[in-house]
Amino acid sequence: GKMTINQARVETSLKELQRLKCMQEEAICAHKDIAAFLESLEKGMEVLTPKGFISRELSLGKFKGPIQYMTWKEMESILCPGLSLITLDPKTAHPNLVISEDRTSVWHGDVKQMIPDNPERFDSSVAVLGLEAFNKGKWYWEVEVAKKTKWTVGVARESISRKGCCPLTPTDGFWLLRLRNSLELKALDVPSFSTVLKSSLSKMGIYLDYEGGQVSFYNAEDMSHIYTFSSTFTEQLLPYFCPCLNDSGDNLEPLSIIHAQK
């Protein structure tokens, strides 16, 4: 009968094994154990070939498809059950900020909204905090930043001053990464760390390990590391988002928290 593709593959493998076996035998000190091993492999394949191995397409099923991707997905589910589901807290948002209905996106609007200046609300930084507070564990979230010319993201202590301007450093309760002019990145550490990107970022990954005292930033497209802050955390931390001014439309795109369902 006609050979199936799988049989052809097995034949090719057998020929390759035979070739290897010949090479082994020609080797000056013929490693008899390797030759024997190859022979048993060959016999094993002969036994499997006609019935078991080929006709049971299902047994081959798990070897089809993008193995690396499947392995990564499997690892990802073990390491991290998914992105941390973070939403924005409108009570903290500067009056010029517009927040999407699902509370995952924020952008700077031209109109200052008439809303109460409650104690939690930023009055000069055009920022908003996440609703979820962290006081233990490891957390990872991603923020869509594509087409923006500037932004600031990271984490902040719950006790930070929301009124007026203050230094945005770890001492003051901020662990932030800032973009300016589309390509200039700066980690607001002491001393600060600056780098110029070769191409613009589209997704930022932020990783917080509370007990480990670490806040790390990644290019979420390829998980290349950008910067890590090391600190000791003693109080609740909140995700921090500043989409910056819209600059007459040049920086109108929102900052959007990526949720796995999207």
Side-chain angles (χ1 to χ4, degrees), residues 80-130:
C80 164
L83 297 172
S84 308
L85 293 182
I86 288 166
T87 51
L88 301 168
D89 182 359
K91 290 196 308 297
T92 65
H94 182 281
N96 270 90
L97 292 182
V98 185
I99 290 173
S100 65
E101 217 172 305
D102 65 359
R103 297 185 175 181
T104 61
S105 293
V106 58
W107 60 97
H108 181 271
D110 284 315
V111 183
K112 194 165 191 173
Q113 299 163 76
M114 299 310 292
I115 41 181
D117 183 24
N118 45 301
E120 310 95 306
R121 194 179 298 288
F122 289 102
D123 67 352
S124 56
S125 295
V126 285
V128 57
L129 297 173

Side-chain angles (χ1 to χ4, degrees), residues 134 137-139 141 155 206-210 214-215 233 237:
F134 306 126
K138 298 180 172 80
W139 305 87
W141 60 99
V155 298
I206 301 159
Y207 175 70
L208 165 67
D209 176 353
Y210 191 95
Q214 170 185 345
V215 181
F233 305 127
L237 300 177

Side-chain angles (χ1 to χ4, degrees), residues 41-191:
L41 257 185
E42 215 172 276
K43 284 214 171 72
M45 285 189 95
E46 276 165 18
V47 171
L48 281 171
T49 301
K51 305 170 209 72
F53 196 65
I54 297 306
S55 62
R56 281 189 29 229
E57 281 294 309
L58 285 175
S59 67
L60 289 171
K62 63 179 173 199
F63 300 110
K64 291 178 178 163
I67 301 250
Q68 281 170 308
Y69 183 74
M70 283 145 66
T71 311
W72 157 244
K73 279 290 172 201
E74 207 167 292
M75 276 168 54
E76 189 186 34
S77 62
I78 295 162
L79 295 172
C80 164
L83 297 172
S84 308
L85 293 182
I86 288 166
T87 51
L88 301 168
D89 182 359
K91 290 196 308 297
T92 65
H94 182 281
N96 270 90
L97 292 182
V98 185
I99 290 173
S100 65
E101 217 172 305
D102 65 359
R103 297 185 175 181
T104 61
S105 293
V106 58
W107 60 97
H108 181 271
D110 284 315
V111 183
K112 194 165 191 173
Q113 299 163 76
M114 299 310 292
I115 41 181
D117 183 24
N118 45 301
E120 310 95 306
R121 194 179 298 288
F122 289 102
D123 67 352
S124 56
S125 295
V126 285
V128 57
L129 297 173
L131 190 60
E132 292 67 27
F134 306 126
N135 58 9
K136 62 171 188 285
K138 298 180 172 80
W139 305 87
Y140 175 74
W141 60 99
E142 290 181 354
V143 187
E144 183 82 47
V145 295
K147 299 192 190 128
K148 288 188 73 59
T149 58
K150 52 188 185 179
W151 44 256
T152 308
V153 296
V155 298
R157 275 203 295 258
E158 200 167 30
S159 63
I160 53 162
S161 163
R162 318 282 170 96
K163 309 302 178 190
C165 294
C166 71
L168 300 176
T169 67
T171 317
D172 302 280
F174 298 90
W175 293 267
L176 304 176
L177 186 73
R178 184 176 88 183
L179 180 83
R180 294 293 181 265
N181 304 317
S182 301
L183 296 172
E184 295 164 19
L185 270 187
K186 187 177 201 176
L188 305 180
D189 204 349
V190 182

Side-chain angles (χ1 to χ4, degrees), residues 229-245:
F229 286 90
S230 298
S231 286
T232 305
F233 305 127
T234 52
E235 64 170 274
Q236 296 216 105
L237 300 177
L238 296 155
Y240 176 102
F241 306 90
C242 169
C244 297
L245 303 178

